[in-house]
Amino acid sequence: MSYRVILSPDAEENFRAVIRWYLDIQLELSFRLKSETQAVLRRVAQNPYQFPLSQRSIRKAHQRRFTPWNEP
């Protein structure tokens, strides 16, 4: 079973802003960040209970630190 992941409007806007910022630097970086973020969101949707609650009904998942120097 897969759950639905809901990002807050602020989180969605922050994500879009970061993607736009990386687009200005290098196209590949924006694709890598988006891909890595989507992978984390898929993991959350597939098994949300592996992630700790940060508030009453909000779970917190960290993604690997993204830097332009990480190897894909």
Side-chain angles (χ1 to χ4, degrees), residues 6 51-60:
I6 300 171
F51 302 98
L53 287 171
S54 66
Q55 294 179 17
R56 189 182 330 179
S57 62
I58 298 173
R59 295 195 178 268
K60 191 173 195 176

Side-chain angles (χ1 to χ4, degrees), residues 2 5-6 8 12 14-15 17 20 23 26 29 32 37 42 45-46 48 64 67 72:
S2 187
V5 176
I6 300 171
S8 70
E12 286 186 29
N14 287 341
F15 180 66
R20 286 190 301 268
L23 278 169
Q26 187 180 12
L29 294 176
R32 286 177 45 206
T37 302
R42 278 192 300 274
Q46 291 171 355
R64 184 173 62 110
T67 65

Side-chain angles (χ1 to χ4, degrees), residues 8 13 32 34 38-39 41-42 50 52 64-65 71:
S8 70
E13 180 52 38
R32 286 177 45 206
K34 189 173 182 179
Q38 288 172 335
L41 293 176
R42 278 192 300 274
Q50 81 180 47
R64 184 173 62 110
R65 182 176 170 193
E71 292 298 317

